[in-house]
Amino acid sequence: MSTSAPAVGSAPLLEVRALQKSYASRGPLGTRRPVSAARDVGFTLRRGEAVALVGESGSGKSTIARLVLRLEQPDGGEILWSGDDVLRREPHQASLGYRGRVQMVFQDPFGSLNPVHRVEHHLIRPLLRHAKRTSRGGVVLNNAAAARPRALELLRTVGLEPAEDFLRRYPHELSGGQRQRVAIARALAVEPELLVADEPTSMLDVSIRMGVLNLLAKLKRERGLAILLITHDLASARYLADRVLVLYRGRLVEDGPSDEVVNSPVHPYSQALLAAIADSSQAGSSRQERPRPAATAEAHSGCPFASRCPQRFDACLTSDPAPRRHDNRLVRCHLYPATAPGDQG
Ligand code: ADP
């Protein structure tokens, strides 16, 4: 179930093409092995659309988020913002434009707010920074008093009322869910068009997760905010996202409408991931983390999932499948007939 349909046919706000990133990791006896955290990753995100990146721990979700946020430089690939190649821009141009439009909400609401400052400080600082950056001869918010009404409005938007009361509070006077709402309000202060939310509810009590997801759904619906949701929780992905992208060892293995991917995954890895999550929830486990896969190069040149795949056959060990279209999805698996390169949507 997704919460609203994105603008059908609209041009992508964000387009990621063939993104690559690897790290040198220390192996046994001090040897250095390449770890491929993003391999040939490509996807699009439209205004008012939410896309969830799901995969077990170590599959590369946070790496892709950091690359999209431009906190790290990719080894290859392109990031287009409304068609404009942001990786080719000068750093100061990028920070003026792209970085303001893409904001982040972190997993840990307890670590993301400075405990010595009141909520007021956390909201007024980005409001003033944003006003300075965007003012072009109009009315400028140049002091805290002028920015205060806007800070109150932001608190109301994220459901923290009475807003005057929350503005005066320190982070330790807020619950986890309230802190996460303040973090979302702070991100909204600079009027972003894309929110990257890295496991935004995983550290919250189950009872308040839904409230935060509902807030994100409302922002997407009412403001046309695009959301890149990083999660290993498929229930959240299905609730908030229009599309789910399944990641295995830095590689997108399935991309399709969230209901379809979650209810009837077609890639054997997506099927295994769902079965494992269903098992762990039946066993009453609240954590759905899977063991970290070693994202090192495979011993063979075939599909990276082949060694774990219950459905593998000869071709899987000798050739790495290109993405192919299957029903409404893109899937990287030899079980499905290859499509012509121009037919991959
Ligand atoms: P996820 O968010 O899905 O848990 P990550 O993006 O954190 O995955 O990690 C993907 C892979 O890249 C993992 O094997 C991880 O160990 C490795 N990795 C991530 N960041 C670094 C880094 N700064 N240095 C070395 N290896 C890293």
Side-chain angles (χ1 to χ4, degrees):
M1 176 182 63
S2 64
T3 48
S4 78
V8 177
S10 60
L13 187 63
L14 177 77
E15 187 170 358
V16 168
R17 290 186 188 158
L19 218 51
Q20 311 279 353
K21 181 74 185 174
S22 47
Y23 300 102
S25 118
R26 242 175 236 298
L29 306 172
T31 52
R32 292 182 82 76
R33 304 182 299 177
V35 173
S36 218
R39 294 198 254 188
D40 193 21
V41 170
F43 61 91
T44 58
L45 195 45
R46 292 178 158 73
R47 220 172 283 282
E49 184 182 30
V51 166
L53 273 179
V54 305
E56 59 199 343
S57 184
S59 57
K61 304 182 295 296
S62 304
T63 299
I64 293 170
R66 287 197 299 275
L67 295 175
V68 166
L69 286 157
R70 296 220 55 203
L71 299 174
E72 285 189 55
Q73 190 69 9
D75 301 331
E78 290 177 304
I79 298 176
L80 305 181
W81 180 259
S82 298
D84 195 15
D85 185 347
V86 297
L87 297 176
R88 304 281 173 274
R89 286 207 168 261
E90 295 298 321
H92 73 277
Q93 288 176 307
S95 63
L96 282 176
Y98 182 72
R99 288 215 173 109
R101 295 191 195 140
V102 182
Q103 288 293 302
M104 172 89 185
V105 173
F106 296 94
Q107 178 175 21
D108 180 7
F110 298 91
S112 64
L113 300 176
N114 187 333
V116 304
H117 292 301
R118 294 179 196 267
V119 168
E120 183 165 12
H121 173 91
H122 290 287
L123 298 185
I124 284 182
R125 266 189 66 175
L127 280 170
L128 293 178
R129 211 175 48 234
H130 180 61
K132 196 170 156 199
R133 206 164 52 198
T134 54
S135 68
R136 288 189 185 80
V139 180
V140 184
L141 294 180
N142 55 7
N143 60 51
R148 212 167 175 275
R150 179 81 185 108
L152 291 168
E153 196 185 311
L154 283 172
L155 286 173
R156 290 185 197 108
T157 301
V158 299
L160 293 176
E161 297 198 67
E164 289 79 2
D165 172 28
F166 280 99
L167 204 60
R168 282 192 297 273
R169 291 199 197 177
Y170 285 97
H172 72 267
E173 296 172 314
L174 302 170
S175 68
Q178 289 169 343
R179 285 180 204 214
Q180 203 58 308
R181 286 172 188 266
V182 171
I184 293 170
R186 179 178 56 184
L188 295 179
V190 300
E191 299 180 29
E193 292 172 74
L194 167 62
L195 197 65
V196 178
D198 190 352
E199 304 275 11
T201 58
S202 64
M203 291 182 73
L204 303 178
D205 286 347
V206 174
S207 58
I208 50 178
R209 284 182 192 176
M210 203 57 197
V212 172
L213 284 178
N214 276 334
L215 169 61
L216 293 173
K218 184 181 93 164
L219 295 171
K220 163 174 132 59
R221 196 173 55 240
E222 294 178 1
R223 298 185 167 218
L225 192 66
I227 300 175
L228 181 61
L229 175 70
I230 312 293
T231 187
H232 59 267
D233 174 12
L234 280 159
S236 305
R238 185 167 58 162
Y239 179 74
L240 184 66
D242 302 284
R243 275 180 24 246
V244 165
L245 276 49
V246 182
L247 204 60
Y248 178 73
R249 292 189 173 179
R251 169 95 93 174
L252 289 181
V253 296
E254 186 166 347
D255 171 350
S258 53
D259 265 349
E260 295 179 26
V261 175
V262 173
N263 292 336
S264 56
V266 293
H267 193 285
Y269 171 67
S270 317
Q271 291 166 352
L273 186 69
L274 267 142
I277 287 168
D279 283 353
S280 69
S281 55
Q282 265 168 19
S285 160
S286 59
R287 295 290 296 167
Q288 294 171 346
E289 280 295 283
R290 312 308 317 150
R292 287 179 86 82
T296 46
E298 287 281 299
H300 56 78
S301 56
C303 170
F305 187 57
S307 56
R308 290 170 65 186
C309 184
Q311 300 181 62
R312 73 168 173 263
F313 53 98
D314 291 351
C316 309
L317 295 169
T318 54
S319 111
D320 191 4
R324 53 214 57 201
R325 195 149 274 293
H326 177 74
D327 296 336
N328 274 334
R329 332 200 187 162
L330 277 180
V331 57
R332 265 184 195 264
C333 179
H334 286 301
L335 287 171
Y336 306 95
T339 41
D343 193 26
Q344 288 170 8

